[in-house]
Amino acid sequence: MARRSTEEVGMNMTPMIDIVFQLIIFFVVTTDLDRQVFNEAILLAFSPNGPSIEKRDPRTVTIEVDTKGRIYIAHRPIDKDMLTNLLRQARLSGGQTTPVQIRGDQNAKHESVRNVMQSCGKAGLYRISFVATKEKAAPRKP
């Protein structure tokens, strides 16, 4: 007569749980990094009828212009000449179709935004778009 084992055969779930936790950590970190890239002090213009961005090109260069006309990339202040050089490097590595997004504060002077556009032109980049919001921003607190 064959002996039956009282021990149940089961699947070891430890590796699967480890992978799930690693995925959760990955998504939390990347989501937080995306928020840290943009300056939250910049109030974007209101454009309820503008197109929504469905897919973001990984080559996209995002440039921010604050109310005082200062230029930033990833929270780092840069001047016009440095911006032109960075954009030239982006064109050399990503091609002439590298997209540029300008996040200008709604109270920034047109001259400041125009300077960024001129730097793009000098660098040979022509795919320029402006970032706006579809919802009205809350008024700033002094």
Side-chain angles (χ1 to χ4, degrees):
M1 209 161 169
R3 290 178 93 180
R4 283 190 147 181
S5 174
T6 57
E7 198 176 301
E8 287 188 34
V9 177
M11 183 184 291
N12 185 359
M13 297 295 289
T14 305
M16 189 182 309
I17 292 171
D18 286 345
I19 290 172
V20 169
F21 280 130
Q22 287 178 3
L23 287 172
I24 290 170
I25 291 170
F26 171 78
F27 288 120
V28 167
V29 169
T30 55
T31 302
D32 192 40
L33 286 177
D34 214 20
R35 263 188 252 137
Q36 291 176 0
V37 172
F38 302 120
N39 184 351
E40 292 178 15
I42 291 179
L43 286 179
L44 298 174
F46 176 59
S47 176
N49 300 319
S52 295
I53 297 174
E54 299 296 323
K55 263 177 119 175
R56 183 182 160 110
D57 188 330
R59 302 173 301 156
T60 302
V61 178
T62 303
I63 303 165
E64 295 181 312
V65 181
D66 69 4
T67 56
K68 295 182 180 177
R70 294 177 294 215
I71 302 168
Y72 297 90
I73 292 182
H75 291 294
R76 291 193 174 89
I78 57 174
D79 61 16
K80 263 180 26 174
D81 295 330
M82 187 186 289
L83 176 63
T84 304
N85 289 332
L86 286 171
L87 292 172
R88 281 186 181 132
Q89 290 174 357
R91 181 182 51 101
L92 290 173
S93 65
Q96 199 171 17
T97 60
T98 299
V100 176
Q101 287 183 341
I102 300 175
R103 293 185 81 242
D105 191 279
Q106 65 184 1
N107 297 317
K109 292 185 179 180
H110 178 72
E111 177 184 8
S112 304
V113 176
R114 187 188 63 195
N115 288 337
V116 172
M117 293 171 64
Q118 286 175 339
S119 293
C120 292
K122 286 179 185 177
L125 296 174
Y126 62 89
R127 285 187 59 198
I128 302 170
S129 61
F130 298 93
V131 179
T133 183
K134 288 188 173 281
E135 300 160 5
K136 279 203 174 201
R140 259 187 222 181
K141 294 178 184 175

